[in-house]
Amino acid sequence: MNGKRLLIPENKQRILVLGIGNILWADEGFGVRAVEEFHRRYVVADNVTILDGGTQGLYLVSYLEQADCLIVFDAIDFALPPGQLKLVRDAEVPKFAGAKKISLHQTGFQEVLSAADLLGRCPRDLALIGCQALDLEHWGGPLTAPVRLQIAPAIELACKLLAQWGSPATPRTAPLPASERLLANNIDHASYEMGAQPI
């Protein structure tokens, strides 16, 4: 789990941009790949934290506790056409987040939100940018084409939300240094999928 955490000015609302999922299960990795690409393309203000949450489950509660606003990229499984994006806001988020668990031991994001809520520190504004998965069963497989093609539109949605919340993202003018990537050790999107067979 990697992310950028900074000291926040007291007069700014704290925003968390979070990608969750498991890159080892094909389209289950959508959320992680979307936040990775967002970080590669954009610079954000100091009150915005970008986080690869992977499958960290309840370990994410401490991040949610510190956020006033939350954007989550995630794969969803609600019998929509493969690759369809769905933006879910506020009270509707818990019933959509983490639609399918890969194992019984994986904490769903609903439980993470519930834990933060019980502690009285759930973000005030919630937005789930979900993408309908095509394949959640291909171990070691890459994102399928319909899902991969929705990364850019999902990032555009996130940028619109950040602008609405008063913290617009700015396109990078120089490539992201390797030392600042969210994923390293050859599990970044380009390196990982070089060895995987597309579907």
Side-chain angles (χ1 to χ4, degrees):
M1 177 173 66
N2 294 301
K4 176 181 77 77
R5 302 182 75 181
L6 299 168
L7 294 174
I8 308 303
E10 288 185 14
N11 62 341
K12 289 214 172 185
Q13 60 184 356
R14 298 161 299 177
I15 301 172
L16 176 61
V17 180
L18 174 65
I20 56 176
N22 189 335
I23 62 171
L24 298 178
W25 287 105
D27 290 339
E28 170 69 12
F30 169 79
V32 173
R33 295 313 186 191
V35 80
E36 176 190 10
E37 184 66 10
F38 174 78
H39 180 56
R40 188 184 73 79
R41 293 187 190 183
Y42 288 94
V43 176
V44 294
D46 288 351
N47 62 308
V48 180
T49 298
I50 301 173
L51 181 66
D52 156 29
T55 57
Q56 295 300 309
L58 290 173
Y59 288 105
L60 296 173
V61 171
S62 63
Y63 289 91
L64 268 65
E65 286 182 305
Q66 298 177 47
D68 300 305
C69 307
L70 172 65
I71 297 172
V72 182
F73 294 107
D74 195 10
I76 57 175
D77 188 11
F78 282 95
L80 300 170
Q84 181 170 322
L85 287 181
K86 185 171 185 69
L87 174 62
V88 186
R89 300 292 300 269
D90 301 321
E92 293 296 306
V93 171
K95 67 179 71 167
F96 282 89
K100 183 172 183 178
K101 292 184 181 181
I102 296 303
S103 79
L104 294 176
H105 305 290
Q106 180 183 331
T107 302
F109 199 62
Q110 296 101 322
E111 286 90 340
V112 176
L113 288 170
S114 295
D117 193 46
L118 283 171
L119 293 168
R121 289 306 310 268
C122 197
R124 180 185 66 248
D125 295 312
L126 302 173
L128 167 69
I129 301 173
C131 183
Q132 173 64 45
L134 173 61
D135 178 17
L136 294 170
E137 309 295 338
H138 185 185
W139 171 257
L143 296 179
T144 60
V147 170
R148 186 170 56 251
L149 289 172
Q150 292 304 317
I151 289 178
I155 290 171
E156 288 180 19
L157 277 175
C159 288
K160 288 178 182 176
L161 289 165
L162 288 171
Q164 289 172 15
W165 291 339
S167 297
T170 306
R172 290 187 183 276
T173 56
L176 178 70
S179 61
E180 295 183 21
R181 292 176 185 165
L182 289 186
L183 287 89
N185 302 321
N186 295 325
I187 60 168
D188 62 279
H189 198 185
S191 300
Y192 180 80
E193 295 207 350
M194 280 176 57
Q197 296 299 315
I199 296 174

